[in-house]
């Protein structure tokens, strides 16, 4: 088992100068208290740097090492870079790992990582090891691929939720890491070796078949198919590598977008306001053109009453002229010889009625003629012109138009102010780079989709190739006892061994899943406060879902529940892993309530033989930690502030 005994820091992050934190040799829990920005995450990264030469920032991305050196030492004494030394034991052997990050010779004021050089060496029982031995030993002590199960924080715990999401990019990586820590690669590597042996046996088999006249054609086909398979396998490996790189790129771009999400939101809002501004200005221009036309007749509002009186007089005169012209037409019609019926109603007209119409016309001015028709046409033109002027002389409509223009002016002014404010908030941001990140993300998504389709097609082609080869081999099997019979038996034996290992791996994998499920359920029951939860159910990707006591799954889980499930999984993996080591966790209680925090504290000694917890006191008050851990609490350290860039490691004795 791996156990950490001491961590020595020299100008690493806020830890100015040389400082050391020691860890008890007894099984139990060490708690390091520190407020926000005091250096808890820096301690976790110091351990990570010692092992792997890298540190992680937000989003699990590599952070610039140049920015890790102590700022005060660089500013006051022109001292750049840092050293980390890690003392540990592994299977009873003492190791001392030292890793440095110092400016290159001749560089007095380094500006980025390229201005530094990194070096490291490992001592085993006081004896320095060479570079190759160091690499081999470190990979044996703590492979980086499984370090997530020993060095983690609340953010990493959230990633375990991806094990339940089929289309997740991170899920397959976590599943692979889980199987690695459980020791499955020992079997899969053996299976791969047997696959290679089978392919060599099949190649010899096909060459032997080519040498026999009876089976030469089959042998040629088999050789051709094997060559095709080699091309397909190489293509599959290339596509899988490209897909893995694209998924890493997608993850990095997603984090970059999350990191700049607020800025992106501000940019989107500003762009939307600018579009609205263009539309408002276009509408305002149209309204001003319309009111310009309306203003050309605005004078009519001053004499609208006189125009209405004149309009009423003209309409009365129009009625008189229309009546006269109609009656004249009727009388003229009745005056025609033989006309005894009314042309309008087709009723008989007597002489007395005809005389009455004539007298009425005389009384009202006589018979109407061409002069009256001309007057009527003139009056109608005047009525039309006056009606338009009266309609245009609507002061309320004009007022509403002016109000609409004034509102648009205010809206434009308001949006201009908002744009100005947003611009000041994103001042200094490389907008082109931000938009390029979005564009790159969309392009990466499309590339991933195309590559996934390509992988599917390649796998289909490989399956078709396998089926075809098996068909030819069955035909060759008919020639038992021939000169290539020995090669055939070797090929069959290699295939049977590969099949046996493949099936055995699946059986062992299922057994591992069941053991992990059982242990995770036991830890979950210790951690949860919900009596109706019966336990956890595991899927093929080692994702864990909560099971109700009635046997149904819990479809929607809170952030706290996800946190508890993730902790249960980590503890179960520790129980079942051939490689055992310490759990170093940063801020594990951020998503938990008081009850679940207490239960998690009490369960920590069962998660690993050495647990190191980095918390702030409000997250886990010392009194609660001591009550919950009792004799399992082996040491308490505190990160004391000396300045914004200077933290001291102090052993608590109170």
């Amino acid at each position: 088992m791996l156990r950490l005994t001491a961590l020595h820091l020299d100008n690493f992050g806020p830890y100015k100068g040389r400082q050391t934190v020691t860890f008890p040799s007894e099984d139990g829990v060490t708690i390091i208290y520190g407020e926000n920005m005091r250096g808890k995450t820096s301690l976790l990264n110091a351990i990570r740097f010692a092992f792997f030469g890298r540190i992680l920032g937000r989003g699990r991305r590599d952070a610039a090492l140049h920015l890790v050196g102590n700022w005060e030492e660089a500013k006051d004494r022109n001292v750049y870079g840092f050293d980390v030394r890690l003392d540990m034991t592994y299977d009873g052997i003492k190791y001392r790992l030292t890793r440095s990050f110092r400016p290159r010779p001749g560089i007095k004021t380094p500006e980025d990582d390229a201005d530094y050089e990194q070096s490291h060496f490992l001592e085993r029982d006081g004896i320095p090891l060479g570079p190759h031995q160091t690499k081999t030993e470190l990979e044996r002590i703590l492979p980086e691929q499984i370090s997530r199960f020993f060095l983690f924080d609340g953010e990493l715990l959230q990633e375990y939720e991806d094990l339940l999401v089929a289309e997740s990019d991170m899920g397959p990586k976590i599943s692979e890491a889980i199987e690695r820590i459980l020791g499955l690669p020992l079997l899969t590597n053996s299976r791969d070796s047997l696959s290679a042996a089978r392919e060599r046996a099949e190649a010899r088999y096909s060459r032997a078949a080519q040498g026999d006249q009876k089976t030469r054609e089959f042998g040629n086909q088999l050789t051709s198919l094997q060559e095709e398979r080699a091309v397909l396998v190489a293509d599959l490996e290339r596509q899988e590598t490209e897909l893995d790189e694209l998924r890493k790129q997608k993850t990095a771009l997603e984090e970059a977008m999350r990191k700049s999400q607020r800025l992106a939101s501000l940019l989107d809002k500003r762009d939307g306001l600018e579009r609205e501004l263009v539309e408002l200005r276009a509408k305002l221009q149209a309204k001003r053109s319309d009111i310009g036309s309306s203003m050309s007749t605005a004078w009519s509002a001053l004499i609208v009453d006189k125009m209405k009186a004149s309009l009423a007089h003209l309409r009365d005169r129009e009625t008189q002229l229309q009546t006269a012209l109609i009656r004249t037409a009727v009388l003229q019609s009745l005056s025609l010889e033989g006309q005894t019926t009314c042309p309008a109603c087709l009723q008989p007209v007597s002489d007395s009625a005809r005389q009455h119409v004539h007298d009425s016309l005389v009384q009202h001015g006589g018979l109407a003629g061409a002069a009256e028709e001309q007057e009527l046409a003139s009056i109608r033109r005047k009525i039309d012109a006056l009606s338009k002027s009266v309609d245009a002389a609507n002061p309320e409509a004009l007022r509403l138009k002016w109000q609409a223009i004034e509102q648009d002016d205010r809206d434009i002014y308001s949006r201009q102010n908002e744009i100005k404010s947003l611009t000041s908030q994103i001042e200094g941001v490389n907008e082109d780079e931000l938009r390029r990140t979005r564009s790159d993300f969309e392009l990466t998504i499309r590339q991933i989709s195309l590559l996934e389709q390509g992988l599917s097609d390649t796998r289909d082609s490989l399956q078709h190739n396998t089926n075809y080869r098996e068909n030819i081999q069955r035909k060759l099997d008919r020639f038992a006892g021939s000169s290539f019979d020995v090669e055939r038996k070797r090929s069959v034996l290699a295939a049977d061994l590969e099949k046996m290992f493949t099936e055995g791996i699946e059986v062992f994998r299922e057994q591992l899943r069941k053991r992990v499920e059982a242990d995770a359920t036991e830890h979950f029951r210790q951690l949860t406060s919900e009596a109706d939860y019966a336990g956890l159910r595991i899927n093929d990707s080692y994702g864990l879902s909560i099971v109700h006591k009635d046997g149904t799954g819990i479809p929607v889980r809170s952030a706290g529940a996800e946190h508890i499930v993730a902790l249960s999984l980590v503890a179960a993996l520790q129980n079942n892993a051939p490689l055992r080591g310490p759990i170093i966790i940063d801020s594990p209680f951020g998503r938990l309530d008081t009850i679940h925090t207490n239960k998690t504290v009490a369960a920590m000694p069962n998660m690993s033989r050495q647990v190191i917890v980095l918390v702030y006191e409000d997250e886990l008050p010392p009194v609660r930690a001591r009550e919950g851990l009792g004799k399992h609490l082996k040491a308490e350290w505190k990160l004391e502030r000396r300045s914004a860039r200077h933290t001291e490691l102090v052993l608590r004795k109170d």
Side-chain angles (χ1 to χ4, degrees), residues 30 67 73 114-115 135 170 194 207 250 274 303 361 368 370 377 401 426 504 512 524 539 612 620 624:
T30 296
L67 302 176
E73 285 288 85
D115 293 334
K135 180 180 179 182
M170 187 57 65
L194 287 172
R207 287 195 297 270
K250 176 189 172 187
E274 288 178 343
I303 56 172
L361 285 174
K401 288 183 179 181
I426 58 180
L512 281 176
F524 178 75
N539 64 13
I612 301 169
L620 179 60
R624 185 187 302 172

Side-chain angles (χ1 to χ4, degrees), residues 623-637:
V623 173
R624 185 187 302 172
R626 293 164 189 166
E627 291 176 352
L629 291 169
K631 65 180 181 179
H632 297 292
L633 179 59
K634 299 301 179 181
E636 292 178 274
W637 288 77

Side-chain angles (χ1 to χ4, degrees), residues 610-647:
Q610 183 182 32
V611 179
I612 301 169
V613 185
L614 309 167
V615 294
Y616 55 91
E617 293 194 9
D618 286 345
E619 183 181 8
L620 179 60
V623 173
R624 185 187 302 172
R626 293 164 189 166
E627 291 176 352
L629 291 169
K631 65 180 181 179
H632 297 292
L633 179 59
K634 299 301 179 181
E636 292 178 274
W637 288 77
K638 185 174 182 180
L639 306 182
E640 291 193 352
R641 180 187 184 277
R642 297 291 183 264
S643 70
R645 301 297 183 108
H646 183 185
T647 295

